[in-house]
């Protein structure tokens, strides 16, 4: 769907040096949006058509509020496109395509564990809200650079969800010092000790992960070792965002073990962790 | 007032209007359905196919440049057999002209695809992408050597009864010479232009952005080059031209018609605005109405007069 999103709020998130923004858009996209889906936003200097930047910018949907016709996008100012986007003011209208992509799947029962690295936390918020509203137990593992980042990137909103949370930072300024995979590993060991047989009362856990590629690869390997299903959210440079240009392919392994390409924009951005080929491209 | 006649004759086929979408930017016709009803278009051009399936190049395949896009998809496609089995049957239901786009690395490649794509197969015309290396001739591109280009068109012509469209590469010194060569080979229509070879370097990694190093430049940045080539070819060669390269608006499309294109095609413009083809159809209609033209074809080549 191509629609206009009315900017109803656009604010800095946390500390200036984190360059994070929260953008709330009002429009029809909210009606069908699912957690894990994204929109592409046309970034323009002014109301007059400009071709620099030419391409729309993909941004995940971080919060969905169909009753208010609102979606929330959380983003980091990275280059020219997001810098221009950051100039959008309340009352402006932005051309958006979407919701696009497939979205996370929700387990029918058991626990959903969210594993985030850095701003990979953003799309997981909508998923947490959805899972909680369906009565699932949700747990968060989130790793980031430092306390300032975590607080800027929405830690307070996560605290309001009152879910069990394990934080880690690279410099140890908040939570455990180290990578997010460490607390995840301990938690997996607790639900599935290496020597135990599958038991009837075993907690059924599914994992949803978003973050840097290396982190998602490690999380996938961990989950596979503990036989826990995992979905990951991939990123790739996009042209059309509807599956027409083949600009955004990722490499997967099919059931027969052959390497194949899938489109991140249309077949993803959410894929089962075990089908992703992390290091090779073909 | 009588409504403006938008129908367009192109190498023996009649299009509803002169707006087509370009190969490699419009998938196999289904991808943009939520944005643009196909019955509103004059035609669509399918992603380029090759005899065997191709996985294409590694990512990153795209790099954005000022008002432009570099792509190095590397002709990823399901291959002829899979195309015939899984894609072709659905195409006959598409309510507009469907142009298949074929690519190859030898004359045999082109001939075998032309043999499989005939009238009645759901395909309206065959666009021959000659911007590919000829592996039997040291990788020299078919589209940069007049003799090879002529041979490719003749090989295709001998195998199919469909109208054939030669898609010319702009990466040549003399576009008119190439146009004449493909005309000699039997081309019914000319498509121009394909992408311009370019590259872009990342200042952080100090490496090329594209995994393939080089890519094809498309989008508004190339439009003046495309308009110039359409103009030159229209002066010299008596074949209908599908003009393309950087069209995003009706004004751009009218510019191509005035330069001598009979129809226009929109590629990268769809990424910018997935409803661009609809806007262009309406804009051309209004332009004709306001200027008192009863048929869009009256615009073709007007800029050459006097
Ligand atoms: C499905 C998806 C969801 C995303 N969700 C978010 C989000 O919720 N929050 C957020 O902050 N960022 C998100 N991103 C990344 C975001 O799209 C890029 O940071 C943004 O496009 C950068 O644009 P720029 O002009 O500021 O940077 P530039 O570096 O100037 O961009 C140059 C080109 O590269 C592309 N590009 C640059 N970085 C990326 C990237 N990481 N992934 C894909 N394309 C890129 C741009 O779109 C543009 O075409 C997402 C990306 C994808 C593919
Ligand atoms: C992502 C992408 C893929 C393309 N693939 C093909 C192709 O398979 N065959 C072909 O003949 N042209 C291909 N082209 C070229 C376009 O059809 C068109 O000639 C060119 O992009 C110029 O038009 P534009 O500026 O409107 O995009 C491709 C272009 C892009 C951007
Ligand atoms: S961005 Fe075009 S296929 Fe995904």
């Amino acid at each position: 769907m191509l629609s206009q999103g009315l900017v109803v709020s656009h604010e800095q998130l946390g500390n200036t040096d984190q360059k994070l923004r929260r953008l709330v858009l009002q429009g029809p996209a909210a009606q069908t949006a699912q957690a894990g889906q994204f929109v592409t936003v046309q970034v323009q200097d002014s109301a007059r058509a400009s071709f620099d930047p030419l391409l729309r910018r993909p941004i995940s949907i971080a919060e969905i509020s169909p009753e208010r016709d609102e979606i929330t996008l959380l983003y980091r100012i990275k280059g020219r496109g997001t810098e221009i986007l950051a100039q959008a003011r309340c009352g402006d209208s932005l051309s958006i395509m979407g919701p696009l992509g497939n979205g996370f799947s929700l387990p029918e029962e058991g626990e959903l564990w969210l594993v985030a690295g850095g701003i990979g936390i953003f799309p997981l918020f909508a998923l947490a809200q959805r899972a909680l509203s369906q009565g699932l137990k949700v747990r968060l593992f989130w790793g980031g650079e430092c306390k300032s980042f975590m607080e800027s990137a929405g830690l307070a909103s996560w605290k309001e969800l009152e879910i069990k949370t394990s934080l880690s930072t690279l410099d140890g300024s908040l939570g455990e010092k180290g990578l997010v995979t460490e607390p995840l590993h301990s938690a997996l060991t607790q639900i599935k000790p290496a020597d135990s047989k599958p038991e009837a009362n075993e907690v059924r856990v599914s994992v949803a992960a978003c973050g840097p590629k290396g982190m998602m690869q490690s999380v996938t390997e961990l989950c596979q070792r503990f036989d826990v299903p995992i979905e990951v959210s991939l990123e790739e440079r996009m042209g059309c965002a509807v599956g027409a240009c083949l600009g955004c392919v990722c490499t997967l392994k099919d059931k027969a073990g052959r390497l194949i390409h899938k489109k991140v924009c249309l077949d993803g951005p959410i894929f089962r962790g075990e089908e992703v080929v992390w290091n090779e491209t073909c | 007032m009588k409504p403006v006649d938008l129908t367009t004759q192109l190498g023996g086929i009649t299009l509803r209007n002169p707006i087509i979408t370009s190969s490699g930017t419009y998938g196999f016709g289904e991808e943009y359905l939520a944005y643009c009803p196909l019955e509103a278009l004059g035609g669509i051009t399918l992603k380029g196919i090759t005899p065997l399936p191709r996985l294409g190049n590694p990512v990153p395949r795209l790099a954005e440049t000022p008002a432009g896009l570099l792509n190095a998809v590397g002709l990823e496609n399901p291959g002829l057999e899979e195309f015939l089995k899984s894609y072709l049957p659905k195409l006959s239901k598409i309510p507009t002209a469907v142009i298949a786009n074929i690519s190859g690395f030898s004359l045999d490649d082109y001939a075998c695809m032309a043999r499989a794509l005939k009238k009645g197969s759901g395909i309206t015309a065959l666009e021959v992408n000659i911007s590919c290396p000829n592996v039997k001739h040291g990788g020299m591109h078919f589209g940069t050597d007049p003799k090879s280009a002529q041979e490719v068109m003749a090989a295709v012509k001998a195998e199919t009864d469909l109208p054939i469209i030669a898609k010319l590469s702009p990466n040549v010194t003399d576009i008119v010479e190439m146009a004449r060569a493909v005309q000699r080979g039997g081309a019914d229509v000319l498509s121009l232009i394909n992408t311009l070879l370019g590259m872009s370097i990342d200042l952080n990694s100090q490496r090329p952005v594209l995994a393939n190093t080089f890519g094809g430049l498309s989008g508004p940045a190339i439009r003046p080059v495309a308009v110039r080539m359409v103009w030159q070819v229209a002066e010299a060669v008596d074949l209908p031209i599908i003009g393309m390269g950087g069209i995003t608006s009706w004004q751009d499309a009218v510019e191509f018609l005035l330069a001598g294109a009979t129809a226009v095609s929109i590629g990268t413009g769809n990424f910018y605005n997935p409803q661009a083809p609809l806007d262009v159809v309406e804009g051309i209609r209004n332009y004709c109405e306001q200027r008192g033209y009863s048929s869009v074809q009256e615009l073709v080549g007007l800029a050459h007069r006097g």
Side-chain angles (χ1 to χ4, degrees):
Chain A
M1 174 170 49
L2 182 70
S3 64
Q4 292 294 318
L6 177 71
V7 179
V8 290
S9 138
H10 197 180
E11 61 193 11
Q12 180 172 312
L13 268 184
N15 295 332
T16 311
D17 58 354
Q18 293 295 338
K19 293 186 161 188
L20 301 174
R21 294 290 184 277
R22 180 169 186 272
L23 171 63
V24 183
L25 295 174
Q26 195 177 62
Q31 290 309 321
T32 56
Q34 299 294 321
Q37 288 189 299
F38 63 101
V39 294
T40 60
V41 184
Q42 191 157 56
V43 286
Q44 302 251 292
D45 242 330
S46 64
R48 295 180 59 208
S50 141
F51 301 115
D52 189 18
L54 181 65
L55 298 175
R56 292 159 178 269
R57 296 302 191 256
I59 302 185
S60 304
I61 302 171
E63 258 182 272
I64 307 161
S65 164
E67 58 289 344
R68 298 169 63 174
D69 277 332
E70 285 176 5
I71 55 170
T72 301
L73 311 182
L74 304 176
Y75 67 94
R76 167 166 275 159
I77 299 177
K78 220 193 112 189
R80 197 173 139 73
T82 42
E83 249 160 43
I84 292 171
L85 179 60
Q87 308 299 316
R89 278 181 287 184
C90 284
D92 286 355
S93 199
L94 299 173
S95 167
I96 63 174
M97 278 172 77
L100 300 167
N102 58 355
F104 286 105
S105 50
L106 271 188
E108 290 189 352
E109 48 173 6
E111 291 189 19
L112 178 65
W113 289 10
L114 309 176
V115 187
I119 61 171
I121 191 76
F122 292 160
L124 297 181
F125 197 76
L127 181 61
Q129 286 184 314
R130 183 79 201 283
L132 289 171
S133 76
Q134 302 217 340
L136 289 168
K137 217 166 146 193
V138 179
R139 188 167 169 181
L140 174 68
F141 300 83
W142 181 16
E145 201 136 342
C146 58
K147 185 173 178 209
S148 162
F149 165 75
M150 308 289 273
E151 287 177 350
S152 297
L155 186 59
S157 317
W158 281 95
K159 284 198 168 144
E160 281 169 25
L161 296 181
E162 295 180 335
I163 59 177
K164 195 166 172 186
T165 300
S166 312
L167 302 175
S168 27
T169 48
L170 287 178
D171 66 357
S173 53
L174 186 72
E176 285 179 51
K177 185 175 159 89
L179 298 173
V180 69
T181 36
E182 290 156 28
L184 176 67
H185 189 188
S186 333
L188 285 167
T189 314
Q190 276 167 20
I191 57 152
K192 292 196 176 180
D195 50 2
S196 80
K197 301 222 167 56
E199 288 165 35
N201 62 353
E202 185 186 289
V203 201
R204 292 237 272 188
V205 170
S206 322
V207 168
C210 185
K213 229 174 173 181
M215 167 250 158
M216 290 194 287
Q217 178 179 5
S218 310
V219 171
T220 298
E221 283 162 8
L222 257 183
C223 288
Q224 281 185 286
R225 203 151 23 107
F226 286 88
D227 200 19
V228 165
I230 167 164
E231 287 186 335
V232 296
S233 178
L234 300 186
E235 270 185 20
E236 195 45 68
R237 283 160 183 263
M238 292 183 179
C240 67
V242 298
C245 75
L246 300 175
C248 69
V249 296
C250 60
T251 306
L252 302 184
K253 204 176 276 169
D254 73 4
K255 288 201 186 80
R258 276 176 316 206
L259 298 185
I260 55 164
H261 280 163
K262 290 271 180 187
K263 303 157 193 167
V264 172
C265 67
L266 185 70
D267 306 314
I270 314 301
F271 293 94
R272 285 187 289 117
E274 69 271 17
E275 58 180 359
V276 177
V277 178
W278 298 97
N279 294 323
E280 287 167 79
T281 52
C282 62
Chain B
M1 198 172 68
K2 256 180 75 181
V4 179
D5 181 11
L6 292 181
T7 53
T8 298
Q9 305 294 330
L10 203 68
I13 53 178
T14 304
L15 306 181
R16 179 180 295 123
N17 61 51
I19 315 306
I20 302 170
T21 54
S22 307
S23 180
T25 67
Y26 225 68
F28 287 101
E30 289 182 336
E31 292 79 357
Y32 274 103
L33 282 179
Y35 302 89
C36 180
L38 297 179
E39 57 269 28
L41 302 176
I44 61 168
T45 314
L46 308 178
K47 173 66 194 167
I49 51 168
T50 51
L52 295 176
R54 284 174 59 88
L55 276 172
N57 291 324
V59 292
R61 290 175 167 188
L62 302 176
E64 200 186 31
T65 58
L69 170 67
L70 286 165
N71 91 82
V73 170
L75 279 174
E76 172 165 356
N77 80 92
L80 179 63
E81 194 180 321
E82 180 65 15
F83 172 76
L84 295 174
K85 198 174 99 198
S86 307
Y87 294 84
L88 193 60
K90 289 190 246 171
L91 294 175
S92 50
K93 295 188 195 84
I94 288 184
T96 189
V98 177
I99 302 171
N101 178 286
I102 58 173
S103 285
F105 303 92
S106 68
L107 287 180
D108 287 346
D109 279 359
Y110 285 101
C112 96
M113 285 184 289
R115 207 171 300 139
L117 299 167
K118 295 228 164 74
K119 276 192 180 149
S121 65
I123 303 286
T124 318
L126 208 53
E127 184 176 71
V128 186
N129 174 12
I130 56 174
S131 303
C132 301
N134 180 350
V135 290
K136 296 223 172 93
H137 282 90
M140 165 76 134
H141 285 230
F142 287 105
T144 56
D145 171 39
K147 188 165 160 281
S148 307
Q150 179 178 341
E151 282 169 7
V152 169
M153 296 314 291
V156 170
K157 188 78 185 174
E159 298 290 351
T160 185
D161 51 2
L162 289 173
I164 58 173
I165 307 169
K167 175 126 179 218
L168 300 185
S169 164
N171 302 309
V172 296
T173 317
D174 186 352
I175 191 75
V176 169
E177 188 189 5
M178 297 307 305
R180 289 203 173 107
V182 295
Q183 184 178 35
R184 281 194 300 276
D188 301 296
V189 179
L190 305 173
S191 244
L192 58 147
I193 59 176
N194 211 317
T195 52
L196 283 154
L197 195 61
M199 78 175 285
S200 158
I201 297 173
D202 184 298
L203 298 195
N204 283 323
S205 67
Q206 303 180 326
R207 298 281 307 142
V209 178
L210 297 173
N212 187 54
T213 308
F214 304 140
L217 184 63
S218 63
I222 71 167
R223 201 179 81 231
V225 177
V227 171
R228 182 264 293 177
M229 290 190 163
V230 168
W231 170 285
Q232 288 179 313
V233 171
E235 295 249 290
V237 180
D238 187 23
L239 284 179
I241 296 170
I242 304 173
M244 70 189 84
I247 298 177
T248 61
S249 68
W250 67 264
Q251 290 93 335
D252 302 342
V254 169
E255 189 183 14
F256 274 93
L257 297 175
L258 296 175
T262 299
V264 294
S265 190
I266 303 174
T268 306
N270 293 297
F271 306 169
Y272 176 79
N273 171 13
Q275 290 178 344
L278 301 178
D279 296 351
V280 171
V281 172
E282 274 324 294
I284 291 183
R285 194 197 306 279
N286 291 337
Y287 181 82
C288 288
E289 258 169 27
Q290 278 161 17
R291 301 237 166 190
Y293 297 108
S294 57
S295 157
V296 65
Q297 291 309 309
E298 292 170 42
L299 297 178
V300 175
L302 269 189
H304 292 264
R305 72 185 181 280

